[in-house]
Amino acid sequence: MSSSNIDDAFKERVYTLIGSIPAGQVAAYGQLAKLAGFANQSRAVGRLLKNLPEQSSLPWHRVINSQGKISFPEESEKHFQQRRLLESEGVFFKNNKVSMKKYQWLENS
DNA sequence: ATGTTGACCTTAG
DNA sequence: CCTAAGGCCAACA
């Protein structure tokens, strides 16, 4: 059988979670890892996103770090791209950080 | 086989 | 704002 292991389960769950992030809201790598049942695997989430196919329809831009900041380097093209996507759906930055309230959709249920 | 790094981490101080 | 340390692990040299 194909390696239907932990990695695939993790990937599956994280993808689903990311897909469920409402427009105008964000989630942290660590939050997603934890919700997927793999606490302390935030970097694995990052790795997953890094390997995400370019044509993916997942709202990858809604994933930022726990400090409210975009994890790409400040002056990078990817950083601008992500920021642009977020701002286009109403997520704005003050001092390069988004309000913690943007994570609040997770606080229900 | 060993050590280091990470453009997509986190918390505490 | 910054540093340090914790944690986990794939990719790299």
Side-chain angles (χ1 to χ4, degrees), chain A residues 42-54:
Chain A
S42 49
R43 302 190 95 136
V45 174
R47 215 176 301 130
L48 215 51
L49 289 180
K50 180 178 186 175
N51 301 330
L52 199 64
E54 195 56 47

Side-chain angles (χ1 to χ4, degrees), chain A residues 3 10 44 57 60 64 69 73 85 89 92 95 107:
Chain A
S3 54
F10 179 69
S57 57
W60 60 270
I64 62 180
K69 297 175 56 177
L85 285 167
E89 51 188 43
F92 298 106
N95 303 324
E107 295 179 7

Side-chain angles (χ1 to χ4, degrees), chain A residues 74-105:
Chain A
E74 281 275 333
E75 308 306 329
S76 69
E77 201 41 55
K78 296 292 283 180
H79 181 106
F80 286 134
Q81 181 190 6
Q82 186 169 14
R83 175 157 177 160
R84 198 161 16 78
L85 285 167
L86 285 172
E87 292 183 330
S88 76
E89 51 188 43
V91 177
F92 298 106
F93 293 75
K94 294 172 192 145
N95 303 324
N96 285 318
K97 294 175 68 176
V98 308
S99 164
M100 283 304 152
K101 294 183 176 180
K102 293 299 182 181
Y103 293 86
Q104 282 182 354
W105 63 280

